[in-house]
Amino acid sequence: MNRNIVLVCSFGLSTSLLVNSMETAAKEAGAQVRIRAIGSNEVPDVVDETDVFLIAPQVRYLLNGIAAHGLPAGVIEGRAYALADGRAALHQALSLLEQGV
Amino acid sequence: MDKLLSFMERTLLPVTAKIVENRYMQAIRNAFIGSALPMIIVGSIFLILAIPPLPDGLHGGWLGRVSEWLTEARPMLMIPYQLTFGLVAFWVCYGVAESLAKHYKMDGGRVGLMAMATLLVFCLPVGVRQHGHLVGLSAISLDRFLDDLGAVGLFVAMLTGIGVAELNRFLLRRGLILKMPPAVPQNVSRSFEMMVPAFLAVGSAFLLEWWATTTWSPQPLDPATALTLPQIVMAKLSFLVQASDTLPSAILQIWLMMLLWAVGIHGMNVVSSVAYPLWQNNLSSNIAELGAGEQATHIVSEPFFHMYAHLGGSGATLPLVFMLLRSHVSQLKQVGRVALVPALFNINEPVVFGVPIALNPILALPLLAAPTVIVTINFLAMHSGLVPVPTVQPPLTMPVFLGGFLADGSWRGTVLQGVDLAVAGLIYYPFFKLYEKKLSHFAAGE
């Protein structure tokens, strides 16, 4: 079953840079995931189809609000985010999924 | 400095979270970004088509004839703009109600529609007489009605959106919403559920408008001069809009944005959730002036920041990217390579978190200084008439030079961006060198 990873930033612009490299990393690792980037205003719309939220560092103040939806959520580490390090971000998403809420 | 920055982060983060997570602030921001922004951008495109950036004083030749025709046809060509961007309050009202309703886990679309209906009621004077008889819609000019659904009505639109969503929530909690038996199809039962809140919302808006029109309008009441609630509220709050369009206000706004970015928080996002209504007021006033054949005069709007200050992203970091690319420190060069393409479209998170600038005591200073100097230059250049005031809001990803031209319809906007880039580069350079040196010492020490 595909797990849904949702990346959140202000407009879904800067996180979209990370989506491709995460997809490549997922393919390499053989992880069954679906990844997409959204703007913070879309969070309530996608909660039902999300398994884990990854939050961009510049909007890390959203963490508590997003975690309140009862799904695993974490803030992406700054340098991994900046360099679009898909492997690190994927690893973070998968370990958040493993830990659960 | 290190301590100062981490202290700032510790204090700013919870404050920001409070502001941004406030459900009303969130609803207002979502309304602008989610519901109004597409209309604003589409309207801006129609505006460029209606008032294209042609040089003044074209006479003779086919270009001259086109320019003459465009001036003559301007009232007609403005229609697509007027019915999109021009109705910004209408879209914002929907968006606020929709977003807040969703936050309360209610049906956003329906509550949004209800709020729109309520706002329409507020945009017509009620209780006005002509020749002794109470008059209705036909006595009111369409122009004034549509004006109220534009920038004039923004404050009332936001309050209406909040009010209607809260009314729905209140009724739902108290069980005062008509419930149909489960056998009734969901679509039918939902429309029944709307009846009580819609009746109360539109009905009380009608009564409120009746009271407001008859109390606050100049006497005797006349359809041509009678006031509506949006006009009354805007008149009371116009000092706020005026104050927002000054150099101290521009500097205060850029300072707040940059202080937040200095600790790696999206400053534009936070400041815009408070300032967006004011920016849109100023921008709409500009377009009204332009449509009337006058010079636009309102400087501080969304494109003032996004197109002329955030060059390559918040903090005017585009020159820094080129310094990174030429750096002999491999860590910085690597960031430069990743950061270049996004930076051309004004996305600079790779720079902010890769260099990093966020929480970096050396680069925090130019991050504050460069945009402050740029904003001051831009404000003065526009205030003195050297560069036209922005009248168009291009998407925030519009590349530098192109964006400066589109936003004010003049090559001078492009030149201003060039000057700004040079100034930002000069301010960043010494601090960048200092940081580079520190990194290479660090690497050598290892």
Side-chain angles (χ1 to χ4, degrees):
Chain A
M1 191 190 69
N2 270 353
R3 312 301 296 268
N4 289 298
I5 303 174
V6 173
L7 312 180
V8 186
C9 67
S10 185
F11 295 95
L13 287 174
S14 67
T15 37
S16 64
L17 301 171
L18 190 56
V19 172
N20 282 340
S21 68
M22 277 181 80
E23 272 169 352
T24 315
K27 222 172 258 170
E28 279 171 12
Q32 300 273 314
V33 290
R34 203 174 135 242
I35 304 154
R36 60 175 165 161
I38 63 165
S40 58
N41 59 323
E42 296 166 80
V43 170
D45 300 326
V46 304
V47 168
D48 292 341
E49 317 137 35
T50 302
D51 295 303
V52 57
F53 282 111
L54 283 187
I55 298 163
Q58 73 275 20
V59 292
R60 59 190 181 280
Y61 49 78
L62 295 173
L63 179 63
N64 288 337
I66 289 177
H69 289 290
L71 291 166
V75 176
I76 307 163
E77 189 269 318
R79 197 164 163 83
Y81 190 68
L83 298 178
D85 185 343
R87 230 178 277 173
L90 181 71
H91 177 76
Q92 188 183 4
L94 294 177
S95 53
L96 278 167
L97 271 171
E98 226 164 81
Q99 287 164 19
V101 185
Chain B
M1 194 72 195
D2 256 327
K3 273 186 189 148
L4 179 66
L5 279 173
S6 67
F7 168 76
M8 268 169 53
E9 190 192 13
R10 277 201 312 278
T11 37
L12 285 177
L13 204 54
V15 176
T16 317
K18 276 236 166 65
I19 296 173
V20 177
E21 274 179 14
N22 176 287
R23 57 183 187 265
Y24 302 124
M25 299 304 281
Q26 212 167 32
I28 290 170
R29 180 178 176 273
N30 289 351
F32 274 106
I33 305 298
S35 304
L37 193 62
M39 294 297 187
I40 291 172
I41 305 257
V42 167
S44 290
I45 296 170
F46 282 123
L47 188 72
I48 296 175
L49 295 174
I51 311 176
L54 290 175
D56 289 333
L58 284 174
H59 297 291
W62 67 272
L63 209 57
R65 280 199 294 281
V66 167
S67 154
E68 266 166 41
W69 183 81
L70 282 171
T71 312
E72 195 200 322
R74 186 172 290 178
M76 179 189 85
L77 294 173
M78 291 285 278
I79 292 173
Y81 156 76
Q82 283 164 330
L83 295 180
T84 49
F85 189 170
L87 304 187
V88 61
F90 200 37
W91 318 127
V92 164
C93 176
Y94 173 85
V96 170
E98 188 224 18
S99 169
L100 196 54
K102 270 192 197 155
H103 180 84
Y104 293 143
K105 311 232 181 312
M106 298 187 299
D107 185 340
R110 264 160 236 263
V111 175
L113 286 177
M114 219 183 282
M116 281 175 135
T118 311
L119 181 65
L120 290 176
V121 176
F122 282 134
C123 295
L124 286 162
V126 173
V128 180
R129 284 171 190 274
Q130 207 169 24
H131 313 302
H133 297 288
L134 284 168
V135 294
L137 284 174
S138 57
I140 312 299
S141 96
L142 181 64
D143 265 5
R144 290 192 71 196
F145 175 65
L146 293 183
D147 265 359
D148 281 8
L149 290 171
V152 174
L154 268 178
F155 294 117
V156 168
M158 296 186 297
L159 292 173
T160 303
I162 292 173
V164 170
E166 289 294 340
L167 175 73
N168 273 275
R169 184 190 185 212
F170 175 80
L171 294 173
L172 194 68
R173 278 185 155 184
R174 296 291 162 100
L176 293 172
I177 285 184
L178 289 181
K179 286 277 179 203
M180 292 287 115
V184 177
Q186 206 181 26
N187 277 331
V188 179
S189 72
R190 275 193 173 171
S191 66
F192 271 98
E193 284 167 25
M194 273 181 80
M195 277 172 44
V196 172
F199 179 80
L200 284 177
V202 173
S204 46
F206 185 77
L207 294 177
L208 183 59
E209 183 73 355
W210 194 356
W211 171 79
T213 303
T214 45
T215 312
W216 299 90
S217 295
Q219 304 290 339
L221 283 173
D222 182 271
T225 56
L227 297 178
T228 60
L229 203 62
Q231 291 160 4
I232 296 161
V233 171
M234 183 48 84
K236 302 263 176 234
L237 291 178
S238 62
F239 76 95
L240 208 63
V241 180
Q242 276 162 22
S244 80
D245 192 25
T246 57
L247 183 57
S249 142
I251 290 180
L252 179 71
Q253 291 181 46
I254 199 79
W255 260 75
L256 284 173
M257 291 175 201
M258 290 308 128
L259 276 176
L260 290 165
W261 269 118
V263 296
I265 297 174
H266 201 306
M268 184 68 179
N269 200 341
V270 176
V271 172
S272 71
S273 52
V274 180
Y276 225 113
L278 301 168
W279 295 343
Q280 289 311 317
N281 250 303
N282 288 328
L283 193 62
S284 303
S285 308
N286 284 341
I287 298 165
E289 287 164 338
L290 214 58
E294 296 162 18
Q295 205 83 50
T297 54
H298 300 75
I299 298 171
V300 183
S301 58
E302 198 265 5
F304 177 76
F305 290 108
H306 256 149
M307 290 301 120
Y308 298 98
H310 304 335
L311 303 160
S314 292
T317 52
L318 190 57
L320 191 62
V321 175
F322 292 103
M323 295 174 209
L324 292 172
L325 281 172
R326 301 189 46 157
S327 175
H328 56 81
V329 177
S330 65
Q331 178 196 336
L332 294 178
K333 199 167 190 154
Q334 188 195 0
V335 174
R337 284 196 188 123
V338 177
L340 178 64
V341 175
L344 295 178
F345 298 94
N346 304 319
I347 297 171
N348 69 343
E349 276 81 357
V351 186
V352 173
F353 295 104
V355 172
I357 301 177
L359 295 168
N360 182 331
I362 297 174
L363 292 173
L365 285 170
L367 182 73
L368 270 171
T372 309
V373 173
I374 287 177
V375 158
T376 309
I377 293 174
N378 293 351
F379 190 96
L380 296 176
M382 289 172 187
H383 190 70
S384 65
L386 218 56
V387 176
V389 163
T391 47
V392 167
Q393 180 174 339
L396 68 95
T397 47
M398 191 60 71
V400 176
F401 297 133
L402 202 55
F405 172 72
L406 285 176
D408 68 5
S410 162
W411 56 269
R412 296 180 208 192
T414 302
V415 173
L416 182 63
Q417 285 185 316
V419 172
D420 288 339
L421 280 177
V423 171
L426 285 175
I427 295 175
Y428 273 110
Y429 190 71
F431 293 94
F432 171 74
K433 278 289 161 200
L434 201 66
Y435 181 55
E436 199 181 33
K437 203 166 165 189
K438 187 185 150 196
L439 282 188
S440 37
H441 275 306
F442 190 65
E446 267 181 348

